[in-house]
Amino acid sequence: MKRILRRLLLVLVSFGLIAILWALVQKTQSIDTTAIQQVNSQLRELKQVDATWNLDILRSKMGINKNYDQVTTPLQWLQKNQPVLMAAVNQADATGIKQAADELRAAINDKINLVDRFKMQNALLKNSLRFLPTAVGQLRDQIVAVTLSDASIGINNTGQTATPNAFSSSLTKLEATANEMLTELLKYNLAPDEAIKTRVEGLLDNLAAQPSTSYPEQIQAQVDMIVNHARTVLKQKESEDQVLASIEQVPITARIDQLAAQFEQSFEAALKEKEQWRIALIAYSAGLLLLLALAMLAVWRSYRSLDQANAFLEQRVAERTRDLSAALANLRESQLQLIQSEKMASLGQMVAGIAHEINTPLAYVKGGLEILSARMDDVDALVNETSGLMNLMTEEPAGDEASHEQQLAEQFATVQEISSAFVETEAISEINGLLDDGLHGIGQIAEIVSNLKDFSRLDRAKVAEFNVNEGVESTLKIARNIVKHRRIEQQLGAVPLIMCSPSQINQVLLNLINNACQATTEETGVVTIVTRPTEQGLAIEVKDNGQGIHPDHLSQIFDPFFTTKKVGEGTGLGLSIVQRIVKEHGGKITVDSVLGVGTCFTVELPREYQAHREQELSELNQGGIT
């Protein structure tokens, strides 16, 4: 009885010591650095986004960006990544972190509001800047028209007459003032300077100060319009500079650094606490080791013979382990070679179709360029004749003024004739159509090459977030030569993004779609692809209305080298590889087939990949083209 009590007491003491050790071990578990690394990555990326944002604002200001898409692009990043950052903030039990996050959020909102103001001010400024050169050109055309119509005597809008030289000189001065004002205004827009602004305002005052009775009504109206738009540019430029100055003062970078520092302080505090528990664990472990050494010393002699037996057994186990490792390495090498052969066979089936798909748009791109080349002679003639007309209009008559006028009229008639021919034959519309067709063809070629490149890359073993619906679209484009004689029905549902090896899932889709097409005929073949969400992730169904699979073969279709196709038409590895890929992603594949009706393969994949299989996924991809 006493022996039993002693043993029970020993067991209880042992359990108590182990429980204390377990508690200390739990306290000293390493801190998960994934969260802090993710936060630091998000903050670094936010810094880069903010810098790019500022650069795009300056580009929009300088007119480099044709629209405001680049200015609004950071908003998409914020909408996507800010919830992740805020989730990390909410998990952190620290007032400093939450306060820094609130200040960062406020700074971002301030900058968004200022960017909206900048877009409005910049749009008004650009509209006026784009209009002013046209308005000054129209003023110049009006002055030329008035000068030509009143070549012998200038008549103003009050009916009073003036000498031709005085009137022409006045109009010439008006045109020169408008051109100088436009030049100075464009300089001011590119490099704001108070001296330039003063000159612009002086020139505008000169234009506005001209008496309304000096010029015909249409010229005076054009001058007033130019003055109003120029003053608008000056006003909007000043407002825009103020908004840009406010944007530069928004302390987003400082707020990011402040939030990063708060996270770092919190992380260091946690590390310090863990270190204290580690010291306690070391001390406790040292005591246990001492007790264990005393116990081991007492029983060492009795287990000496057992140690010798164990040593011999370990040697045998090591030898067997080396043999098994070598056999496993050989097996994996053979398996990877088989996978390489299957993948190269699939890629070879697609090459001929892809070449045909590229030749079709390439043919009409070439034809369009040949027509454009022929049209360039007419464009060259129009440019040369127009240049001759401009030279005659700007040069002073060298001799007889009547002869000069005759040359000017003839040159004008020639230009008008060529221009009319362009309008009547709709040459510009034809050229634009040819260019659009050429760009469309080149876009098709680029799309085909891009899909093939993405589908055949060797470095896609890395697990990444993947949209299965996009994978279906990409696979159908790559396999266009295979599926073009079948009716493809897509029923793509709103499925979630999954973590997987995208290239391997694309290979699964290609193999299943290829098998479905081969099981059907060109006349009546229908292949249906369905994607739908599930509780664990998503499901992919590939259905066909082919001849179906015999029940005796259903249990063998996933076996390596098993095939019902003729010799030379299949290796029997496709479905075996598909099953392996699906299983290594933590999913499953099932088949439902009815003879004479068709077959349906269903692939179920989880949202998250299995981390302990990532190395196997990498080895599978390294076996060949994926």
Side-chain angles (χ1 to χ4, degrees), residues 124-260:
L124 294 173
L125 176 64
K126 286 183 176 178
N127 287 338
S128 293
L129 282 174
R130 283 194 292 264
F131 174 75
L132 278 173
T134 302
V136 172
Q138 291 174 351
L139 176 63
R140 180 172 58 251
D141 293 341
Q142 291 174 359
I143 291 174
V144 171
V146 170
T147 303
L148 292 176
S149 64
D150 298 329
S152 61
I153 185 168
I155 303 175
N156 57 28
N157 59 354
T158 64
Q160 297 174 344
T161 61
T163 64
N165 290 336
F167 188 67
S168 176
S169 176
S170 176
L171 291 177
T172 301
K173 181 178 179 181
L174 176 64
E175 179 184 355
T177 302
N179 285 330
E180 183 181 0
M181 181 279 297
L182 176 61
T183 301
E184 293 297 325
L185 185 63
L186 294 177
K187 288 181 181 179
Y188 178 71
N189 177 63
L190 295 176
D193 183 77
E194 285 300 323
I196 299 177
K197 181 179 179 183
T198 302
R199 288 198 296 272
V200 173
E201 290 175 343
L203 293 170
L204 289 175
D205 292 339
N206 289 341
L207 290 174
Q210 297 293 339
S212 60
T213 59
S214 298
Y215 309 115
E217 182 178 350
Q218 67 274 22
I219 291 180
Q220 187 61 44
Q222 190 71 16
V223 170
D224 294 340
M225 186 184 303
I226 291 172
V227 170
N228 291 335
H229 276 277
R231 294 193 188 279
T232 300
V233 169
L234 292 177
K235 180 180 177 181
Q236 293 304 127
K237 185 64 177 176
E238 182 177 357
S239 300
E240 181 189 77
D241 291 342
Q242 292 175 355
V243 172
L244 287 175
S246 300
I247 290 176
E248 291 178 356
Q249 294 175 0
V250 176
I252 290 183
T253 301
R255 296 292 181 259
I256 293 174
D257 293 338
Q258 181 180 356
L259 181 58

Side-chain angles (χ1 to χ4, degrees), residues 255-314:
R255 296 292 181 259
I256 293 174
D257 293 338
Q258 181 180 356
L259 181 58
Q262 291 293 334
F263 271 107
E264 188 66 26
Q265 291 177 6
S266 176
F267 182 69
E268 290 178 355
L271 287 178
K272 184 176 181 180
E273 181 182 357
K274 293 291 183 181
E275 187 62 29
Q276 292 175 350
W277 283 110
R278 286 192 183 95
I279 294 174
L281 176 62
I282 291 172
Y284 185 77
S285 300
L288 288 181
L289 288 175
L290 180 59
L291 291 176
L292 183 61
L294 294 175
M296 291 297 296
L297 182 63
V299 299
W300 176 72
R301 289 190 179 90
S302 62
Y303 285 99
R304 186 174 182 179
S305 59
L306 183 60
D307 288 340
Q308 294 176 351
N310 287 339
F312 176 75
L313 181 61
E314 287 177 358

Side-chain angles (χ1 to χ4, degrees), residues 268-481:
E268 290 178 355
L271 287 178
K272 184 176 181 180
E273 181 182 357
K274 293 291 183 181
E275 187 62 29
Q276 292 175 350
W277 283 110
R278 286 192 183 95
I279 294 174
L281 176 62
I282 291 172
Y284 185 77
S285 300
L288 288 181
L289 288 175
L290 180 59
L291 291 176
L292 183 61
L294 294 175
M296 291 297 296
L297 182 63
V299 299
W300 176 72
R301 289 190 179 90
S302 62
Y303 285 99
R304 186 174 182 179
S305 59
L306 183 60
D307 288 340
Q308 294 176 351
N310 287 339
F312 176 75
L313 181 61
E314 287 177 358
Q315 182 180 359
R316 294 290 297 169
V317 169
E319 292 175 355
R320 294 298 298 167
T321 300
R322 285 193 297 269
D323 295 340
L324 291 175
S325 297
L328 180 60
N330 293 333
L331 178 61
R332 285 186 174 180
E333 180 66 24
S334 301
Q335 190 177 42
L336 292 177
Q337 290 177 359
L338 291 175
I339 293 172
Q340 167 73 1
S341 299
E342 173 66 16
K343 293 178 180 178
M344 292 302 295
S346 299
L347 184 61
Q349 293 175 1
M350 297 185 292
V351 169
I354 291 174
H356 175 72
E357 294 294 333
I358 290 178
N359 282 334
T360 300
L362 187 61
Y364 64 78
V365 169
K366 180 181 178 183
L369 291 177
E370 290 174 350
I371 297 174
L372 285 175
S373 177
R375 277 291 188 183
M376 287 308 297
D377 293 337
D378 297 334
V379 176
D380 185 57
L382 177 59
V383 171
N384 291 334
E385 295 299 335
T386 303
S387 177
L389 176 61
M390 295 302 297
N391 291 334
L392 287 174
M393 293 177 63
T394 55
E395 69 183 3
E396 294 293 335
D400 186 7
E401 184 174 348
S403 175
H404 182 267
E405 292 293 335
Q406 179 63 25
Q407 293 178 0
L408 184 61
E410 292 176 354
Q411 188 68 20
F412 183 80
T414 301
V415 172
Q416 187 176 21
E417 180 182 357
I418 298 175
S419 299
S420 299
F422 262 79
V423 174
E424 291 173 0
T425 59
E426 297 183 351
I428 299 301
S429 299
E430 180 184 5
I431 291 174
N432 288 333
L434 291 172
L435 289 175
D436 291 340
D437 290 343
L439 291 175
H440 177 70
I442 292 173
Q444 284 185 314
I445 295 173
E447 182 183 7
I448 293 171
V449 174
S450 177
N451 285 325
L452 180 61
K453 180 185 67 174
D454 291 341
F455 202 87
S456 61
R457 286 177 60 184
L458 292 170
D459 58 349
R460 299 299 297 275
K462 184 177 180 181
V463 172
E465 203 172 55
F466 183 57
N467 187 326
V468 170
N469 289 343
E470 293 179 359
V472 172
E473 296 289 348
S474 176
T475 302
L476 288 176
K477 291 176 182 177
I478 289 298
R480 187 177 302 172
N481 191 53

